[in-house]
Amino acid sequence: MTVEDAQDTPPPAGPPPRLLDLGVRVAGAIVVVVAGVLTGVLELLLATVRVGGQLIGVSVLLVIGANIALSWFAHEAVGRRWAVALPAVPWFALMVVAAIRTNEGDLLLAGDNWVGLAMIVAGAMTFAVMGFRQILAPPPLTLGG
């Protein structure tokens, strides 16, 4: 084998280095946390959407779809079953803050807004179901084991 041949051969395929894998998982975790906050804000903004003077509940559908997607992505990106908590915790914190009246009297989620209440219930149930699915899922199969 000549020097030119040795330079042209690609490095052997194998698992990525541990530090790179950890960096990708941490980046995925950060993306999931930020996405949990952003979807929560978008859902709060859409909780008051009205058509013809009536609340339409578009944020309830959005919260179910977004929380399923966030839970799935969290598990795939981080690779741990507890990763569903990464988008859930900031989302819940945002909903709690939105339901507390400020000193000036401002309130994002009022008790008389059925969409806001349905959104909180649907979001909590979605995260709970996705968390239970991760807990009850069988462990991944390993090759050669």
Side-chain angles (χ1 to χ4, degrees):
M1 179 179 264
T2 65
V3 174
E4 290 85 24
D5 292 337
Q7 291 174 349
D8 291 339
T9 59
R18 291 181 78 99
L19 189 58
L20 177 62
D21 184 53
L22 178 64
V24 169
R25 289 175 191 256
V26 169
I30 292 169
V31 167
V32 169
V33 169
V34 171
V37 171
L38 292 178
T39 59
V41 169
L42 179 63
E43 292 153 5
L44 285 171
L45 291 173
L46 294 177
T48 58
V49 172
R50 295 175 186 267
V51 173
Q54 299 295 320
L55 291 168
I56 60 170
V58 69
S59 64
V60 177
L61 298 175
L62 178 64
V63 76
I64 293 170
N67 289 0
I68 288 172
L70 286 173
S71 300
W72 171 83
F73 183 74
H75 181 261
E76 291 295 317
V78 177
R80 301 286 187 253
R81 293 181 179 193
W82 55 263
V84 71
L86 291 172
V89 169
W91 186 87
F92 282 120
L94 190 59
M95 295 302 137
V96 167
V97 169
I100 297 173
R101 189 173 302 276
T102 64
N103 292 337
E104 294 81 21
D106 297 332
L107 185 63
L108 291 175
L109 282 179
D112 62 349
N113 182 346
W114 70 268
V115 175
L117 298 175
M119 184 180 69
I120 291 172
V121 171
M125 292 299 293
T126 303
F127 277 128
V129 167
M130 293 302 288
F132 281 125
R133 283 180 49 115
Q134 293 303 326
I135 291 169
L136 297 177
L141 298 174
T142 58
L143 298 176

